[in-house]
Each structure stands twice: as structure tokens, then as C-alpha cells.
Amino acid sequence: MKAVIVCLCVLVAVTVARPDDHYTDKYDKINIPEILSNRRLLTPYILCILEKGKCTAEGKELKSHIREAIVEDCAKCTNTQRSGTETVIAHLVNYEPEYWNELKAKYDPSGIYTKNHEAELRKLKAH
């Protein structure tokens, strides 16, 4: 999908790139709906990415790839990661606007990547 969708790929497994230039699919089976429906699970991921909290191993990997993935329009994401990330971002846009705004300010302060896609993501009522 769009570059902005990469913001929370940790929930769908963005980590070390494989030889075929895709991020590992090691975490592609993460239960995204469970995480999104439980703030106790979701909040630590967000705080990690915002550098306001501790990070799990996958959280650290995510932070190391976010900027690249945004700039390259998720070129190294698997189809599962693209779909899952779209779900995550749609959830943040629609149900966690405070966190969404913080993430945008950190990773897309000029709005280059989010301005074209945010309206589309608002239509996806993930949950």
C-alpha cells in the first residue's frame, strides 16, 4: 500500500531483510486484531516506536527500518506485512488519533507521505 502504512510494521513483522530483498516473514502470523483490541498490548509497541518506552526485539528491528520503508513505499514488505500494516494504520487513524499524530510528527513531520493517504485510511474502519 502507501508508504505511510509502514509505520507499525512491527505488528506484521518488519525485521532484517532476507537475501531476496524482503523483510523477514518471521512475524507475519502475529494476531493483529488481538493487539489492536487490547491497549495493554498496543501501547508498548507505540511507545517503543516513539522512543518513549522499552522495546521488544521486534520493536527495535521496526525502528531500524521505519524510515527506509516509508521512503521506499514498503518495497521490501511482504503482502502479509502490507495488508497488516494497512490494518494497523487504519486503526490508529480512526481510533488512536493522539498516537497517530505523534507518529506522524516523528516519522513524517513534513506530511509528504501521510497527506495523500490519510483520507483513504480513515475510510478503513479497522477493529
Side-chain angles (χ1 to χ4, degrees), residues 7 11 17 20-22 29-30 32 40 42 45 49 54-57 63 88 97 99 102 114 117 124:
C7 202
L11 301 176
D20 63 350
D21 276 344
H22 282 89
K29 298 207 186 288
I30 287 178
I32 293 172
R40 192 173 59 85
L42 178 62
Y45 282 109
I49 294 166
K54 294 181 181 180
C55 293
T56 61
K63 286 194 320 184
V88 170
Y99 282 139
E102 285 186 67
T114 56
H117 311 302
L124 300 174

Side-chain angles (χ1 to χ4, degrees), residues 5-15 24-38 41-46 49 56 58-59 61-63 66 80-92 103:
I5 295 185
V6 180
C7 202
L8 287 179
C9 283
V10 72
L11 301 176
V12 291
V14 173
T15 60
T24 183
D25 60 0
K26 181 178 178 179
Y27 301 106
D28 278 11
K29 298 207 186 288
I30 287 178
N31 188 337
I32 293 172
E34 178 184 10
I35 293 169
L36 295 178
S37 67
N38 185 335
L41 297 175
L42 178 62
T43 301
Y45 282 109
I46 295 170
I49 294 166
T56 61
E58 63 269 13
E61 285 295 326
L62 168 67
K63 286 194 320 184
I66 286 177
T80 300
Q81 292 163 359
R82 287 175 189 270
S83 174
T85 305
E86 178 181 311
T87 299
V88 170
I89 300 302
H91 174 86
L92 294 173
L103 289 164

Side-chain angles (χ1 to χ4, degrees), residues 93-112:
V93 166
N94 290 299
Y95 302 105
E96 303 284 350
E98 301 83 18
Y99 282 139
W100 174 242
N101 288 330
E102 285 186 67
L103 289 164
K104 284 192 314 184
K106 180 167 185 65
Y107 292 100
D108 187 20
S110 63
I112 292 171

